[in-house]
Amino acid sequence: NDGTVVTWGSNYEGQLDGAPISAGFVAIACGYDHSVALRNDGTVVVWGGGECERDEPPTRAGFVAIACGDHHSVALHSDGTVVSWSDGVAHG
């Protein structure tokens, strides 16, 4: 009820590394080796294998939704803009 993130698993790809230990999260999304969480203040937190942090995740507040693909993430801002970031590598 307090919005605390709990993670578990094999951590084979480092997807659990750096998970936040604070409360106040309202949404979470998972990619192949990374996770993204949305705080109740509209900020975004990214952790995991590090690949999805090669391009900078958003640092401003005001986001209302998040989603992840295998190697990319997107966040919807309250002003209607969408921010995307990825590992910078073409996968196919």
Side-chain angles (χ1 to χ4, degrees), residues 63-75:
F63 289 94
V64 296
I66 54 173
C68 289
D70 281 351
H71 302 281
H72 71 283
S73 299
V74 295

Side-chain angles (χ1 to χ4, degrees), residues 34-57:
H34 72 288
S35 298
V36 177
L38 180 63
R39 290 186 182 274
N40 57 13
D41 66 359
T43 57
V44 174
V45 177
V46 180
W47 72 92
E51 293 300 318
C52 211
E53 293 180 20
R54 188 169 297 149
D55 284 350
E56 291 295 317

Side-chain angles (χ1 to χ4, degrees), residues 70-91:
D70 281 351
H71 302 281
H72 71 283
S73 299
V74 295
L76 173 65
H77 197 268
S78 61
D79 67 7
T81 58
V82 174
V83 177
S84 64
W85 65 101
S86 72
D87 63 4
V89 177
H91 299 274

